[in-house]
Amino acid sequence: MSVQPIDQFCKELKPEIKEALTKASIGSTVARQQSLDQAYPEPGKALHLRELANAIKSVNLADNLEKAVSSLERNNVKVLFAKDADEARKIILDIIKKKNAKNVVKVKSMTTEEIELNAFLGKHGINAVETDLGELIIQIDHERPSHIVKPAIHRKRDDIAASFQKHGIADYDEEPTHITLNARKYLRKKYFEAEVVISGANYVLAKEGAIVLATNEGNARFSMAGAKTHIAIAGFEKVIPSARELSVFLNLLGRSATGQHTTVYTDFVAGPGKAKNSPEEMYLIFMDNGRSDILASRFAEILKCLRCGACMNRCPVFRLVGGHAYRAVYPGPLGIVLSPLLAGEEFCKYADLPKACSLCGGCAEVCPAKIPLPSLIVQMRDEAKRRHCKIPNDVGFKAWSFIATTPRLWKFGIPFNRLANYLPIDKLRFGTLGRWLKARKLPKFKGGEFRKWFKKNG
Amino acid sequence: MTPPDNRITGKKINFMATCLCDAIFADAAECSVQILKKFGCDIIFPEGQTCCGQPAFNSGDFESARKVIMHTIDAFGGNDYPVVVPSGSCAAMLFDSALIAFKDADKPVFEKVAHFARRVWELNDFLVNALGVEKIGGKLKARIAVHNSCHTKNTGTPEAMKKLLESIDGVELAQYNADGCCGFGGTFSVVFPQLSEEVGIKKVDNILACKPDIITAADTSCLLHQYGIAKRRGLEYPAKHVCQVYVEAMKNGGLL
Ligand code: SF4
């Protein structure tokens, strides 16, 4: 019987990384609660807002998408569609080539992580630099983000300083403000060099024909100041009806993510040439990449995700292992639902992920879009069964369900577990039960006693 | 986990022991019955009952789970009285998760499950919110750490249990984050022994740091896990199902 990869990862992860992950995640969970309590002291108000966010995301997506396309085009945005990652990458590369561009700056975007854009562009001789500090840190070390909001949550300042030194960004200096300052100096040059800026979109406003970018570092604005071409890419589920509904999301996003009342910068980009020193040309690529299949499935709710990261901050499993354990771009409760689905044909490759959850329900309590994550997670387990995926260390229930539906066998079997009191099972150290008992002691079995008692005393 | 609307109440009830009480925690089940009787319940124990189906459901084996849920519904099919369960997670399995397992079922089958869901209550929730019990009373000088099991989130159980425990003379409830997961999760602890153990150790340390005389919960499964982890590490872990606490207090106060 093999071991679950995430469990193995947990076993091997250095204690100081675990500690950093746990501390940062709990910190964000606490900050989230405090900021919501402060903003909405009336009982039920925050919940109401979350319900509203869910409801807004339920409104007819196809309709809104159509509206968005015509408003965006009215604003001179070139709208393109990509059915999968491959197509999205090609579209982006084509645009960059047409502009004869070599230098690209990037505004943190999980969608571009999803399509592994940086590596692809690198292969084609294009230098794409991440401008979000956390993303920059992991990019120079060729790592994947370990959290969707805080990509370098697993890193400590001394090793970041060492990395900066190694890659010639700055001399070793582990003082956090100096790390930031050094990154800023390094990035300034990049902003000037860049011909193209690539961003995601936190929201696409259908009525106004604009995209909204929420950042904390102002890097989106800097990126747009130099580059002449802006390419934005978004899953089509990012469309919301209008700026009116946006307030619900802006009030929830920062608070849910980090406990800020809003992110420091909220940029509205409604087409090229609207502001001084801004790109002359703008593209928006709506990407499907498995989303329409999800929309048509029993997992459609997961498309309401705002990518705030609150669910992972709250998750007892994520807190111990961080994002890399999940082998996919989206980690935590969100990821264990979304990643296997996005993998399409390769669903089974990630079918173990939904198992990595004790169903504690913490994620559903914090999700600003009120996505019923635990319910989706168990249904993903069912989905894996339906697709006949093989999952390491899985437990079978066929024999058990047979006994549990046959009272004669059940009643007959139950008193016999008392035998276990006389057997040395407590000393077992092999097999599933053995592994379980290595860390836990069982109380005495008293099978059948209650039934006997009830007959006399009930 | 949200209980359904229009739940069925009354003092004539069925008792569902749950598989863990059937196999291990006979005392918890006995105390639960004593408490229910004390508050005027007339109790039926259908012999055909086995398990709520949770182990299979949580593992994603919906097919096996559906069989066991149907078996349970039929086992309690002799009457239409409430089904009271001394376990938050088994109750939630039957009033919430069962509906997910039968989501794609034919309408009459789904309705049968949905109707059964309205009959199912966790014991504390039942006492306070169905019968209107205000207090347990009695005496027990003890500092108690309560663990709110994950499956009782959004149900009446945590508040009800707190109210009843506070009504006991001498009880002091330890203040700590009572909602943390203990890492059990049924088969989760089998499939992910390392993760489960590390989450469990955190929980146990957290609880023991409040120096409680008693650790209690409305679920024997969580207590089983916490107890198991603490014991294996050589720590004392005075865990009791909440009904055992109630019985002790009532006996001390001469109420039972
Ligand atoms: S699933 Fe919910 S909590 Fe998790 S990242 Fe998405 S919006 Fe945030």
Side-chain angles (χ1 to χ4, degrees), chain A residues 18-53:
Chain A
K18 266 186 202 165
E19 210 176 293
L21 284 165
T22 305
K23 212 174 129 200
S25 310
I26 294 179
S28 296
T29 305
V30 172
R32 170 198 170 273
Q33 194 59 51
Q34 283 171 348
S35 91
L36 280 172
D37 288 349
Q38 203 179 14
Y40 308 108
E42 313 88 330
K45 182 85 185 277
L47 178 66
H48 179 67
L49 209 60
R50 290 165 58 214
E51 279 164 356
L52 213 55

Side-chain angles (χ1 to χ4, degrees), chain A residues 107 132 184 188 191 202-203 211-222 246 250 253-254 260-269:
Chain A
V107 184
D132 171 88
R184 180 191 277 187
R188 283 290 146 96
Y191 292 130
N202 290 83
Y203 313 94
I211 68 166
V212 182
L213 295 171
T215 74
N216 268 333
E217 297 165 22
N219 50 321
R221 287 185 191 186
F222 270 114
L246 183 66
L250 292 185
L253 182 67
Q260 293 165 271
H261 47 77
T262 42
T263 42
V264 181
Y265 299 88
T266 306
D267 298 304
F268 293 74
V269 190

Side-chain angles (χ1 to χ4, degrees), chain A residues 26 32 50 104 109 119 124 170 251 272 304 334 411:
Chain A
I26 294 179
R32 170 198 170 273
R50 290 165 58 214
V104 171
S109 142
H124 288 85
N251 270 306
K304 296 181 177 176
L334 155 70
K411 274 192 278 180

Side-chain angles (χ1 to χ4, degrees), chain B residues 226-246:
Chain B
Q226 294 163 22
Y227 171 90
I229 287 207
K231 277 284 173 187
R232 187 55 84 195
R233 300 171 76 224
L235 302 165
E236 276 310 305
Y237 208 73
K240 281 183 186 156
H241 185 270
V242 71
C243 284
Q244 291 172 279
V245 178
Y246 297 160

